[in-house]
Amino acid sequence: MTAELNQQALKNAIKYFVAAAIAGSIALATDQVSFIWYPLLAVVMCMDETETRVIAASRGRMLGTVAAGVVGFVVHTVLQGWVALTVSLLILVPILRWCRWQAGLATGVVLLSMLFLVAEYSSLDWLYILNRTIDTLIGVLVAIAVSNLLWPINRLAEIHNLDLKLRQLLSKRLLNIQQLLFGTAAAPEAQVPLEGSRLIGQLSQLVNDELRSRPHGAATRKHWRQRCILWERVNHHSMQLLRLISWLPATFDGLEQGPWLNKLHQSLNTKLDVTELNSTNRRQLLKVASQTNISPLLLLAVEDELHRLISSIKSLQLASNAEISA
């Protein structure tokens, strides 16, 4: 995982360097660009791992630039310096929130600070605002171009790859739960829940990017948004179940009568008949509690969490039925 992160960090650094170099070269070669940091700031604030996130950040950057330019020009006609900056911010923030342009808030604050605090701000006029908008547009276009040309991400392939990793990881966890219930396994490793949450976070980001880019594409048809939610539930309930089982002073000998439990670790990888996965009989649990002197509430909590886990697995099977290999 460390090598993978280092490789991605290196790719991102190269993207930033190439985009900044191109934007800076265009700014130096163009007489209209008076302040080179405008296109460079646009590159830094807009560059991201996928073109969808770059476009979203670029949209916020442009909206913030235009709004800050208009507000700054109007306030500049009557006020100057720190007082003008404070008044401009008090006007800009409500406007951006009212227009639902919160993505441009950071850009607007930075731009207003530059407009009122850099040297020669007294030359501020409509032409000045137009030129600064063009400067920002240069950086935005360069960031979009570099993001699409250098190591573009095949989101659907990455989504399937992460889905496969989650199946492997959580299948091992389900096997561990099954063995713990039968008293044949040690306690789970501490880093497992962190790894599952990390993979689900990456999956959610890629799915959201794909849905924004292609609202009616394969991600929608294959129910990837719902599957992300179900993966989160399976991850959560499996970890809760592991914690509850770790508090048990004895094993569930009575659960060996349930043949469905032997198939628990296979439920994410094969086309099982979901009707075979049934929850335990609560009377049976109470009988086990009386025989082993275990708290009935703890056993019922384990049974309830197990029921929630199985229900989430059933729903995930139904949502991803076409993706699971026989």
Side-chain angles (χ1 to χ4, degrees):
M1 184 180 71
T2 303
E4 181 181 342
L5 292 177
N6 290 337
Q7 184 180 15
Q8 187 60 45
L10 178 61
K11 290 181 179 179
N12 291 338
I14 293 175
K15 281 185 178 181
Y16 275 99
F17 174 78
V18 172
I22 294 175
S25 300
I26 294 175
L28 292 175
T30 306
D31 296 335
Q32 294 296 323
V33 180
S34 302
F35 301 101
I36 191 173
W37 59 74
Y38 280 97
L40 293 181
L41 268 178
V43 168
V44 172
M45 299 182 72
C46 295
M47 183 61 70
D48 212 316
E49 293 183 2
T50 65
E51 76 281 1
T52 305
R53 294 179 219 169
V54 172
I55 292 174
S58 300
R59 179 176 178 271
R61 173 74 178 169
M62 292 305 301
L63 291 175
T65 298
V66 173
V70 173
V71 172
F73 174 78
V74 173
V75 175
H76 174 71
T77 58
V78 293
L79 296 172
Q80 297 178 357
W82 284 102
V83 176
L85 175 60
T86 302
V87 173
S88 298
L89 291 177
L90 291 175
I91 297 174
L92 178 68
V93 174
I95 289 177
L96 290 177
R97 290 181 62 86
W98 180 68
C99 296
R100 297 183 180 180
W101 294 349
Q102 289 92 334
L105 184 58
T107 299
V109 172
V110 172
L111 182 60
L112 281 178
S113 300
M114 290 183 174
L115 291 177
F116 285 104
L117 301 180
V118 299
E120 299 181 359
Y121 68 88
S122 58
S123 62
L124 179 62
D125 54 21
W126 287 114
L127 182 60
Y128 180 91
I129 295 173
L130 178 61
N131 288 335
R132 299 298 74 77
T133 303
I134 294 175
D135 297 347
T136 301
L137 183 61
I138 291 173
V140 165
L141 293 177
V142 170
I144 294 175
V146 171
S147 176
N148 281 276
L149 293 175
L150 293 182
W151 299 292
I153 295 179
N154 185 342
R155 283 188 297 268
L156 287 176
E158 287 294 319
I159 287 172
H160 285 287
N161 185 42
L162 288 171
D163 183 75
L164 178 61
K165 289 181 179 179
L166 279 169
R167 290 186 188 280
Q168 295 172 348
L169 176 68
L170 293 182
S171 292
K172 292 180 180 178
R173 189 183 300 171
L174 293 179
L175 177 60
N176 189 216
I177 290 173
Q178 174 184 304
Q179 293 173 341
L180 286 170
L181 289 173
F182 290 154
T184 60
E189 297 180 0
Q191 67 269 22
V192 171
L194 298 179
E195 178 68 9
S197 299
R198 184 185 69 83
L199 292 175
I200 291 172
Q202 292 179 357
L203 179 64
S204 298
Q205 273 195 327
L206 286 173
V207 169
N208 289 334
D209 289 344
E210 181 65 21
L211 290 174
R212 282 200 299 265
S213 178
R214 300 178 182 86
H216 305 290
T220 300
R221 294 194 303 271
K222 295 182 179 179
H223 312 291
W224 274 110
R225 187 187 298 279
Q226 293 83 352
R227 289 160 72 173
C228 284
I229 297 173
L230 291 169
W231 273 125
E232 290 178 359
R233 292 180 179 177
V234 171
N235 183 62
H236 170 74
H237 292 310
S238 61
M239 285 312 305
Q240 289 292 96
L241 188 56
L242 281 176
R243 293 189 182 97
L244 289 171
I245 293 174
S246 66
W247 296 340
L248 290 173
T251 60
F252 279 156
D253 296 332
L255 288 183
E256 294 181 3
Q257 301 175 9
W260 60 269
L261 191 56
N262 294 320
K263 301 179 181 180
L264 182 62
H265 69 287
Q266 302 174 349
S267 57
L268 290 172
N269 299 314
T270 58
K271 290 184 178 179
L272 291 180
D273 183 2
V274 294
T275 59
E276 294 181 2
L277 295 180
N278 299 315
S279 58
T280 54
N281 189 316
R282 295 202 169 188
R283 291 184 178 179
Q284 181 183 357
L285 287 178
L286 295 176
K287 181 180 178 181
V288 172
S290 63
Q291 292 175 350
T292 58
N293 293 324
I294 301 176
S295 170
L297 292 179
L298 180 56
L299 289 183
L300 289 174
V302 171
E303 189 273 341
D304 183 66
E305 203 62 46
L306 187 59
H307 176 73
R308 293 173 186 271
L309 173 62
I310 293 171
S311 297
S312 298
I313 292 174
K314 288 180 181 180
S315 300
L316 183 61
Q317 279 188 322
L318 293 174
S320 57
N321 189 43
E323 300 291 330
I324 300 177
S325 59

